[in-house]
Amino acid sequence: MTIGSDLEVVDMDVVLDLRGLDALIRVLAQDGRVVVGPVLRDDAITLAELGSADDLPGGWGVETGPGHYRVRRREDEAVFGHSAGPQSWKRFLHPPRRALLSSDGTGFHAAPESPVSYAFFGVRPCDLAAITKLRQVVGGPAPFVVAAQCTEPGEVCFCSSMGCGPGAGSGYDIALTERVDGDGHRFLATSGTEEGAAVLTRVPSRPAARHDVELADRDVAAAAGRMGRSMPEVDLRDLLAANRDSAHWEAVAERCLTCGNCTMVCPTCFCVSVEDRTDLDGNAERAQRWASCFEIDFSYLHGGAVRTSGASRYRQWMTHKLGTWHDQFGTSGCVGCGRCIAWCPAGIDITEEAAALARTGGGRP
Amino acid sequence: MPTIAVWKFTSCDGCQLTLLDCEDELLPLADQVHIAHFLEVTGASEPGPYDISIVEGSVTTPEEAERIRWIREQSAMLVVVGACATSGGVQALRNFADVDEFRSIVYASPEHISALDTSTPISAHVAVDHELRGCPIDRGQLLEVITALLAGRAPDLPDTSVCTDCKRRGLTCVMVSRGTPCLGPVTHAGCGALCPAVDRGCYGCFGPMTRPNAPALVPLLKRTGMSDDELELVFRTFNANAEWT
Amino acid sequence: MTSWVPTPCRVVERTVETHDCVTLTLRPVTGSLPAFRPGQFAMLYAHGVGEIPISVSGIPADGTLVHTVRAVGAVSRALHDAAPGTVIGVRGPFGTAWRLDGVEDLLVVAGGIGLAPLRPVLGHPSRRTVLVAGARTPEDLLYAGDLLALSDVDVVLTVDRGGHDWHGRVGFVTEPLASIPLDPERTTALLCGPEPMMRFCARTLLGRGVPAGNIQVSLERSMQCGIGLCGHCQLGPLLVCRDGPVTGYPEAEPLLLAKEL
Amino acid sequence: MTHRANRTLQVAGLARVEGEGALHVRTTGGRVDEVRLDIYEPPRFFEAFLRGRNFREPPDITARICGICPVAYQMSACQAIEDACGVRVGGQLRALRRLLYCGEWISSHALHVYLLHAPDFLGFPDGIALAAADRATVERGLRLKKAGNRIMDLVGGRAIHPVNVRVGGFYRVPAPEELRGLTGTLREALYDALATAEWVAGFEFPDLDVPHDLLALREDDGYPLDRGTPHVSTGIDFPVSEFGDHVVEHQVPHSTALHARLDDRVFLVGPLARYSLNSDRLSLIAREAAAAVGLGTVCRNPFKSIVVRAVEIVYAIEEALSIIDSYERPEVPCVEVHPRAGTGHGATEAPRGLLYHRYDLGADGRVLAADIVPPTAQNQTAIEDDVTRVVRAHQHLDDHALQSLCEQTIRNHDPCISCSAHFLDFSREGT
Ligand SMILES: Cc1cc2nc3c(=O)[nH]c(=O)nc-3n(C[C@H](O)[C@H](O)[C@H](O)COP(=O)(O)OP(=O)(O)OC[C@H]3O[C@@H](n4cnc5c(N)ncnc54)[C@H](O)[C@@H]3O)c2cc1C
Ligand code: SF4
Ligand code: SF4
Ligand code: SF4
């Protein structure tokens, strides 16, 4: 499989209807991929294997806010008319638990690699950026990516101020832009790789007219102006480096539950802890599981944890996300998907906290 | 073979039963260890010392306070299991009430009932090596402690919120998506987020994690419709005696 | 994922150093490991118990690895107890090494087990080396006999608590640092020990005119992978397993001063 | 020495029972003077601290009375509170409750049959020793137990102290596919259960024919489990609400343990009572299994309770399969229950017998008073009576053998001493 990156841009836009969309899912599955996309489940739009376009959450939208998420009926039957949900593609690229190796005491054996090859269906631009950032750290085989450009940002979204949306940047094989209007329910499809182009030739479509492309561009451009939030326009890396000793961390700590929800829902948070397991026959297994810098033992050194206060743990998370990620990986760790805002039970808002730091200036020297 | 002893204090037997609920592992385990005392399973009882003692239940009588000291002396490793043993359990509700009155509610001749005024965790009496939380404990965690001790490694018992497990499981947060009050953000992990998995908010049966920020959770619980009375009750149930704040 | 899989190595020699420290010599069961440089570390895996970062405390030319381990918890205890013949898993080399290019006078300051990663830099015939090593008690001093035998090194030992038969210094390592003769401009100082110790020592040296850029420290954070994947070893902008453990003091100081970083 | 006329038997720590108890027997000149089942399980004051709690809490709180039969406590509590609030849970929600209860019966009975009771008949000190001699058999028992636990895990969210039970129903009701996932396991378990019945029927049973009145629930549509009307072997019936008028607890002079009498007579609850009053209500395979192992329509030998339990396992599996088969997901996971002032009663058949709960609620939904009568409390007089009969009939045995037989007699009733809401006794004769 080719890597879903900006290898070669093949300009061959087409328009699919729902039937075409369904065919696209089936073609991807026929080629042996597990197609994962949004579904309505447990009062939320989560990610699960798709069998057909019927599995998509047609007609469902969401209402989000700090510490708040509700699904709601839409007026149209749009399938991608919802912003980021409780799950991200991280679950598939970097599963919550993964076996690493086994040991019998004299030999060590790598755990088998997962044979699954994924097609991610309906990846929002923020998440597309997140996939790139995450894979930069954890590696692994590239998924086939069908992006869905964002025409409907939510209340907690701020991808445009992170430079990660609402248009799909690089990294997709196919990008879709959905539109429901008097002319029907349709998807403008653009291929980003040769493989994407080849797949598109196998589904029923009509060539895209200039009008289709213009409408899509307009919808996406309009979305940029409808983000519920934005990051302050300062150099975040400098801001956080300068605010290591800010009194503001204590103020956040009063509200922060140190529950770790923000890190778990974040599509780029990659930290893991290693667990050792032994059975009664003397065999041992090592596995990794999602960890969170909010866990008290996360920073454990012999004798005790380094970061015990809530303030230091919140500072670690936010500083890493927006600041030191640049030092470590040359880019921001945040894509502006807004999940940490919506799924923080306390509704702590990373953009608000950044703004508060920016207001107080550089903090104490 | 290492010797294991299982002891019961004031409790419901549920945590001991968890050991018998390890249906697949029970007999293989019995091949690897020597069960020296486990009254629920066998009348055979051998004198100490024991390599591992597993203690269920809280201390509620003078006799129990004595007995736990003896067990500690006899045991190289003391593992206390369950909310009763780690925080005093549901019976610690007496710690907030007048025990004489409790006695008279239940017994016609309360003067015969010799019980302490408090129900206290084992750690209030002797040093403990490992604590397994939960009412009841989790089967997987129990096996983890036993296999870890047999292998000489530190048991993996994460001291973190239920939320982390909830998220690893891929559950949708009931508090955020439905407004259901949930103690997950302050409750010690270990159950695997059982309650959110059945659309219920966590009710804290694993007790508080280290440094829980309950004061920050309280307004959220209120916002989701809990009354002050309910708030008081929810922290005062299975781990009433634990440090929630 | 192969980067997670250790190379099986056999303990070929086990030397008891102190009541809780041993030095293990390891040889790959088959093949060889890439060469380690002083200051780098390996992830050592004790079967069924776990894996921890341990520095190289000696780099023989025969393809073996030398590590000194202090038993403080389950994994270090298991490694400490590993008898000759035991198979241990090794991954590495990881992290940065002490920067020794162009070094004129070398000042090595170690606290406790911190001496282990510094031992490989001692005894280089072409440079003047001063070693200041501290420990809690005389019994805790690592390699004491070997150190005094090193001909090219001036050795200053100090302990927190002496005994009847201890005739050496008593006190913190900072004390001799304040007085030993040194030429600040020519001196390169390598520090390894508890964070407060490294801070105080660096302060003392800065006070004596040693340029901050000439001071290197070895940092310590929780590490579960050694390869920049687990995130536990973050210290501000650093991933200590990758950007450390050896770090220049100008870079490290603000990080060491921040509370709970 | 073994035939001496005056002797005192003292079993300080009764093994293979749930909770902690002791047995004290004194005979003089061949006459049995005293038999006392001492319960030294410390009191936990459940009824006291239930006062003032919210009416939604008793199912979770009272579950903690007993880790062996938490579902029984939850079911009796729900029923009593729903009764107080004028709600009756029916249809698929009731079926799910029954399914959950089947899980508990299977698991609890399998535990008792294989690990606690069978070793008595086969001369082993415990189930572990039995496994050393006959691993395959004990593995079969564990398989059965696991099948029961799987039902509780799935329907209840957890096998011990299920989290999914609430007043009015459940928090989440499973999808039919989820339940069907159990079918394979349960079909296999049915074979294991039939083999169990056959196995235990082959044991040797001491003669004992108890004359006690038998008390169990009885209902129209099946073997009693989650509801029914109290029915006595003397032919009388009474509504659950009159339980307290018939079953009266009192303190006996030599002990502080509460004993109960039914209309002032010694009585028995549990498998023997349930079976003898309801054998006509068994499902097809269970009825055949009972016939095949020679269990008549009435069984009054407590030693044979192990056979009855095996038959009840068969029943519970069959019932579980049939519930799963006709299951449809209810529209709502629970019916709404609004508190109101009043009193409610609930009785269900715990594995060990009838378990009664009564709650007085205030208009604001607070519990004003609670009364819980667990089966072991009801059986205590009958158990002591059984031991008296056994000692009288087996005076020729040496102390050791007699003691073992006494213990076995107690274990016939699978006494659950942890269900200690009521009873306690610290005073013991020191001989
Ligand atoms: C770069 C580096 C080099 C080191 N070199 C040496 C050496 O040469 N000799 C030596 O004896 N020790 C060395 N240590 C310290 C050694 O790694 C710890 O003592 C060890 O991890 C303790 O693990 P434990 O399981 O025995 O103890 P516990 O205290 O039970 O630790 C439990 C777990 O916490 C983590 N942890 C605890 N303490 C540390 C720590 N100090 N550093 C990293 N992770 C920790 C580990 O994952 C460990 O398994 C070094 C540490 C680092 C970071
Ligand atoms: S910011 Fe919110 S989600 Fe993150 S740890 Fe704090 S309370 Fe939890
Ligand atoms: S449901 Fe409860 S446990 Fe799960 S994430 Fe939400 S608050 Fe935490
Ligand atoms: S979610 Fe909370 S109440 Fe439920 S089982 Fe887990 S710890 Fe107990």
Side-chain angles (χ1 to χ4, degrees):
Chain A
M1 190 195 296
T2 35
I3 290 167
S5 69
D6 47 350
L7 287 182
E8 187 186 347
V9 179
V10 182
D11 203 352
M12 209 189 65
D13 294 357
V14 294
V15 174
L16 315 180
D17 57 11
L18 266 180
R19 225 168 23 92
L21 197 73
D22 189 64
L24 180 55
I25 294 173
R26 290 174 198 279
V27 163
L28 292 170
Q30 268 161 24
D31 292 350
R33 300 185 188 90
V34 173
V35 186
V36 180
V39 299
L40 177 69
R41 188 169 290 175
D42 298 333
D43 293 342
I45 291 171
T46 64
L47 299 174
E49 188 170 351
L50 301 177
S52 73
D54 289 345
D55 295 335
L56 294 166
W60 288 96
V62 297
E63 167 198 309
T64 56
H68 178 85
Y69 180 99
R70 293 289 183 282
V71 288
R72 59 169 177 86
R73 251 344 270 194
R74 294 174 56 86
E75 278 167 12
D76 60 25
E77 288 300 309
V79 297
F80 299 127
H82 51 83
S83 53
Q87 292 183 1
S88 77
W89 309 93
K90 175 167 86 174
R91 174 161 295 276
F92 305 94
L93 295 172
H94 182 54
R97 186 176 190 280
R98 177 160 67 175
L100 297 172
L101 63 121
S102 61
S103 161
D104 57 15
T106 53
F108 312 115
H109 310 282
E113 301 275 347
S114 160
V116 177
S117 102
Y118 284 111
F120 292 167
F121 200 87
V123 177
R124 309 182 75 77
C126 54
D127 282 349
L128 188 62
I131 289 171
T132 306
K133 290 178 198 284
L134 182 64
R135 291 195 52 241
Q136 186 192 347
V137 182
V138 304
F144 186 97
V145 174
V146 180
Q149 301 212 86
C150 186
T151 54
E152 185 147 323
E155 192 43 39
V156 295
C157 293
F158 57 100
C159 68
S160 86
S161 66
M162 298 310 292
C164 297
S170 61
Y172 60 83
D173 294 279
I174 296 172
L176 303 173
T177 315
E178 182 175 33
R179 186 158 236 283
V180 193
D181 60 18
D183 294 334
H185 189 175
R186 59 196 187 279
F187 305 85
L188 176 73
T190 310
S191 56
T193 59
E194 268 180 52
E195 200 185 3
V199 166
L200 277 182
T201 61
R202 294 161 59 198
V203 301
S205 67
R206 66 166 167 82
R210 175 192 295 263
H211 178 62
D212 295 310
V213 178
E214 279 169 4
L215 274 181
D217 288 349
R218 207 186 66 199
D219 290 346
V220 172
R226 285 193 284 127
M227 300 277 152
R229 280 171 166 59
S230 63
M231 268 293 171
E233 287 183 18
V234 296
D235 184 317
L236 293 167
R237 178 176 169 228
D238 289 350
L239 178 72
L240 288 149
N243 275 286
R244 210 172 265 151
D245 299 316
S246 168
H248 185 66
W249 301 118
E250 291 297 338
V252 192
E254 279 181 20
R255 286 169 283 141
C256 175
L257 299 158
T258 63
C259 61
N261 270 306
C262 47
T263 60
M264 295 283 165
V265 295
C266 175
T268 65
C269 269
F270 60 83
C271 290
V272 290
S273 286
V274 176
E275 39 181 66
D276 287 280
R277 291 278 181 268
T278 40
D279 67 14
L280 292 165
D281 301 322
N283 298 308
E285 199 202 276
R286 312 201 80 217
Q288 65 176 32
R289 64 161 179 259
W290 285 356
S292 167
C293 50
F294 284 94
E295 296 172 298
I296 199 134
D297 289 340
F298 184 83
S299 59
Y300 179 82
L301 281 181
H302 180 69
V306 174
R307 292 187 284 270
T308 54
S309 69
S312 68
R313 286 181 272 161
Y314 187 85
R315 177 186 62 190
Q316 166 61 30
W317 133 255
M318 183 165 155
T319 304
H320 189 218
K321 242 4 14 174
L322 302 178
T324 54
W325 201 292
H326 285 281
D327 299 288
Q328 294 165 6
F329 304 107
T331 168
S332 171
C334 173
V335 296
C337 71
R339 285 186 179 87
C340 61
I341 304 172
W343 298 96
C344 169
I348 295 175
D349 178 344
I350 191 170
T351 65
E352 270 286 308
E353 304 311 333
L357 288 177
R359 275 196 300 275
T360 56
R364 283 179 245 130
Chain B
M1 248 196 238
T3 52
I4 292 196
V6 181
W7 309 94
K8 176 182 156 66
F9 286 70
T10 303
S11 65
C12 81
D13 281 48
C15 291
Q16 298 183 60
L17 180 67
T18 305
L19 189 53
L20 302 182
D21 273 0
C22 302
E23 287 97 1
D24 295 334
E25 298 83 6
L26 186 63
L27 297 180
L29 183 65
D31 294 338
Q32 305 264 337
V33 301
H34 179 70
I35 297 176
H37 180 96
F38 189 177
L39 213 47
E40 191 172 301
V41 173
T42 179
S45 171
E46 292 162 28
Y50 313 101
D51 292 309
I52 304 173
S53 272
I54 297 176
V55 176
E56 170 194 273
S58 67
V59 173
T60 67
T61 68
E63 178 274 331
E64 287 182 329
E66 273 305 307
R67 188 155 55 101
I68 191 60
R69 275 192 282 278
W70 179 83
I71 292 171
R72 173 71 271 189
E73 281 167 19
Q74 297 293 316
S75 313
M77 223 9 122
L78 189 68
V79 181
V80 302
V81 298
C84 297
T86 57
S87 83
V90 68
Q91 58 273 15
L93 283 171
R94 84 184 66 187
N95 302 5
F96 308 94
D98 177 357
V99 176
D100 288 336
E101 193 192 318
F102 271 23
R103 282 192 195 99
S104 65
I105 292 171
V106 183
Y107 300 95
S109 307
E111 62 281 4
H112 293 284
I113 310 303
S114 131
L116 295 172
D117 289 347
T118 54
S119 169
T120 41
I122 300 299
S123 63
H125 299 265
V126 296
V128 304
D129 297 299
H130 296 286
E131 288 199 336
L132 274 191
R133 301 292 199 84
C135 182
I137 54 170
D138 175 76
R139 186 166 31 192
Q141 287 209 320
L142 179 63
L143 284 170
E144 165 60 10
V145 165
I146 294 174
T147 51
L149 294 182
L150 293 178
R153 75 188 150 81
D156 178 25
L157 305 169
D159 179 358
T160 177
S161 68
V162 170
C163 299
T164 59
D165 276 340
C166 192
K167 284 289 181 290
R168 287 189 197 96
R169 264 185 92 160
L171 301 175
T172 296
C173 176
V174 297
M175 189 132 80
V176 169
S177 74
R178 295 176 193 213
T180 303
C182 180
L183 298 195
V186 295
T187 299
H188 197 288
C191 68
L194 294 177
C195 292
V198 295
D199 299 345
R200 177 183 190 175
C202 165
Y203 59 94
C205 78
F206 273 60
M209 64 187 192
T210 295
R211 283 178 165 256
N213 192 354
L217 183 63
V218 165
L220 310 178
L221 297 176
K222 282 193 183 167
R223 205 175 65 199
T224 50
M226 259 197 193
S227 66
D228 288 341
D229 284 353
E230 284 171 305
L231 262 170
E232 170 131 340
L233 293 175
V234 81
F235 288 110
R236 280 210 175 161
T237 315
F238 306 111
N239 291 277
N241 203 37
E243 301 276 326
W244 283 100
T245 46
Chain C
M1 216 180 305
T2 44
S3 47
W4 280 99
V5 180
T7 302
C9 294
R10 208 175 285 286
V11 177
V12 290
E13 201 182 319
R14 177 177 184 271
T15 311
V16 175
E17 303 285 358
T18 69
H19 69 101
D20 61 358
C21 291
V22 296
T23 296
L24 301 176
T25 307
L26 307 174
R27 182 188 296 285
V29 173
T30 56
S32 63
L33 281 161
F36 282 68
R37 286 178 293 141
Q40 289 189 300
F41 68 95
M43 294 298 290
L44 297 188
Y45 172 66
H47 169 70
V49 185
E51 193 184 49
I52 54 172
I54 298 288
S55 309
V56 279
S57 68
I59 308 181
D62 63 355
T64 57
L65 278 175
V66 176
H67 294 281
T68 303
V69 184
R70 177 162 166 241
V72 296
V75 185
S76 51
R77 164 69 54 195
L79 293 171
H80 173 279
D81 293 348
T86 309
V87 171
I88 281 175
V90 179
R91 292 190 296 131
F94 296 134
T96 51
W98 301 110
R99 289 186 301 274
L100 297 164
D101 303 338
V103 167
E104 294 164 293
D105 293 354
L106 189 62
L107 172 60
V108 172
V109 188
I113 187 74
L115 185 51
L118 283 165
R119 187 169 71 159
V121 307
L122 298 175
H124 203 283
S126 69
R127 58 188 174 232
R128 188 175 99 92
T129 303
V130 178
L131 166 68
V132 181
R136 271 169 305 172
T137 70
E139 290 71 41
D140 290 310
L141 274 171
L142 277 179
Y143 322 125
D146 303 349
L147 295 177
L148 295 168
L150 287 171
S151 50
D152 305 307
V153 184
D154 292 336
V155 178
V156 182
L157 302 179
T158 174
V159 297
D160 298 350
R161 263 179 295 116
H164 318 296
D165 42 5
W166 176 252
H167 305 296
R169 285 170 166 272
V170 175
F172 295 119
V173 283
T174 37
E175 288 160 20
L177 282 193
S179 56
I180 50 165
L182 57 78
D183 176 347
E185 291 296 330
R186 285 172 53 96
T187 297
T188 293
L190 312 182
L191 317 182
C192 186
E195 280 183 16
M197 179 215 103
M198 294 194 291
R199 261 188 354 244
F200 288 129
C201 290
R203 276 291 149 90
T204 306
L205 294 174
L206 291 174
R208 294 195 62 190
V210 177
N214 285 9
I215 304 175
Q216 300 170 32
V217 294
S218 181
L219 300 170
E220 191 185 33
R221 275 297 175 271
S222 169
M223 283 178 197
Q224 309 215 344
C225 71
I227 46 180
L229 287 180
C230 79
H232 286 257
C233 69
Q234 288 181 64
L235 176 61
L238 308 179
L239 282 167
V240 174
C241 73
R242 188 190 76 183
D243 309 324
V246 175
T247 312
Y249 192 68
E251 206 181 340
E253 182 175 46
L255 307 177
L256 293 177
L257 287 175
K259 210 173 139 238
E260 295 192 64
L261 193 62
Chain D
M1 258 325 267
T2 57
H3 289 69
R4 74 191 194 282
N6 304 341
R7 54 180 176 171
T8 305
L9 289 181
Q10 185 87 40
V11 187
L14 279 172
R16 284 181 278 134
V17 298
E18 289 91 19
E20 304 216 311
L23 176 69
H24 177 90
V25 176
R26 189 155 47 83
T27 63
T28 323
R31 199 183 64 234
V32 183
D33 287 336
E34 191 185 7
V35 167
R36 220 168 66 219
L37 175 59
D38 283 351
I39 307 293
Y40 53 80
E41 182 79 25
R44 291 168 74 214
F45 303 117
F46 275 90
E47 286 140 312
F49 60 65
L50 278 168
R51 293 188 172 195
R53 303 294 303 205
N54 185 281
F55 77 111
R56 297 194 188 277
E57 295 186 286
D60 284 325
I61 292 181
T62 61
R64 269 69 180 186
I65 291 174
C66 176
I68 321 290
C69 54
V71 171
Y73 281 88
Q74 295 188 323
M75 293 297 121
S76 289
C78 284
Q79 207 188 85
I81 291 162
E82 287 155 11
D83 180 42
C85 301
V87 169
R88 198 170 158 86
V89 174
Q92 290 292 336
L93 285 178
R94 184 203 163 194
L96 270 183
R97 283 185 167 176
R98 229 176 131 81
L99 177 59
L100 177 65
Y101 221 143
C102 286
E104 179 158 292
W105 271 32
I106 298 166
S107 175
S108 174
H109 276 356
L111 170 71
H112 187 255
V113 167
Y114 280 88
L115 292 181
L116 311 186
H117 209 195
D120 282 335
F121 292 92
L122 300 170
F124 290 100
D126 51 59
I128 305 290
L130 172 58
D134 183 359
R135 190 154 181 138
T137 297
V138 176
E139 279 173 349
R140 180 178 66 207
L142 291 169
R143 246 186 345 257
L144 268 176
K145 186 163 150 344
K146 190 176 172 185
N149 278 344
R150 278 199 59 194
I151 298 179
M152 288 197 281
D153 276 332
L154 184 66
V155 181
R158 164 159 81 187
I160 303 172
H161 305 331
V163 296
N164 193 19
V165 172
R166 69 191 297 187
V167 174
F170 294 89
Y171 288 89
R172 178 182 181 277
V173 284
E177 313 82 77
E178 294 175 74
L179 287 189
R180 302 229 159 95
L182 293 172
T183 311
T185 308
L186 290 175
R187 288 220 183 95
E188 278 169 41
L190 193 53
Y191 288 103
D192 285 336
L194 290 167
T196 303
E198 216 172 290
W199 178 58
V200 297
F203 294 170
E204 239 179 77
F205 302 101
D207 282 334
L208 181 64
D209 195 34
V210 294
H212 323 309
D213 290 354
L214 305 174
L215 169 67
L217 298 178
R218 189 165 160 82
E219 59 172 336
D220 295 335
D221 51 350
Y223 203 70
L225 200 58
D226 62 320
R227 65 168 59 150
T229 305
H231 186 81
V232 190
S233 51
T234 52
I236 69 152
D237 280 342
F238 54 83
V240 177
S241 59
E242 286 170 19
F243 183 88
D245 302 333
H246 293 270
V247 174
V248 178
E249 291 175 292
H250 57 95
Q251 282 185 295
V252 287
H254 64 261
S255 158
T256 51
L258 296 177
H259 282 212
R261 288 172 88 84
L262 170 64
D263 295 330
D264 215 23
R265 292 156 61 94
V266 177
F267 74 111
L268 185 68
V269 297
L272 284 194
R274 206 155 46 212
Y275 180 82
S276 299
L277 300 176
N278 292 283
S279 54
D280 59 326
R281 295 280 192 262
L282 282 173
S283 53
L284 203 65
I285 302 176
R287 198 177 314 166
E288 277 174 17
V293 298
L295 215 53
T297 54
V298 171
C299 175
R300 281 184 167 275
N301 181 352
F303 288 98
K304 287 197 172 170
S305 64
I306 191 169
V307 185
V308 175
R309 276 189 196 93
V311 169
E312 288 190 338
I313 297 176
V314 175
Y315 173 80
I317 296 172
E318 233 185 321
E319 177 73 358
L321 280 167
S322 114
I323 292 170
I324 291 171
D325 195 45
S326 53
Y327 176 72
E328 284 164 34
R329 196 176 197 161
E331 295 263 297
V332 289
C334 75
V335 296
E336 278 199 39
V337 181
H338 299 288
R340 64 178 193 196
T343 296
H345 309 264
T348 67
E349 284 288 346
R352 284 150 200 80
L354 194 151
L355 168 61
Y356 169 78
H357 284 222
R358 192 202 84 227
Y359 297 96
D360 297 343
L361 300 185
D364 61 351
R366 291 209 174 228
V367 176
L368 302 177
D371 187 20
I372 297 166
V373 187
T376 299
Q378 301 175 65
N379 278 348
Q380 204 165 330
T381 312
I383 295 174
E384 289 178 357
D385 186 87
D386 285 8
V387 175
T388 308
R389 287 167 197 273
V390 164
V391 171
R392 207 178 286 142
H394 297 88
Q395 293 273 354
H396 58 282
L397 292 178
D398 64 24
D399 278 5
H400 178 74
L402 183 60
Q403 179 182 320
S404 302
L405 189 60
C406 288
E407 287 183 56
Q408 183 178 359
T409 307
I410 293 170
R411 280 193 285 267
N412 285 337
H413 298 282
D414 191 6
C416 185
I417 293 168
S418 307
C419 299
S420 62
H422 276 267
F423 35 88
L424 149 120
D425 179 9
F426 286 127
S427 65
R428 244 178 295 160
E429 191 141 338
T431 39

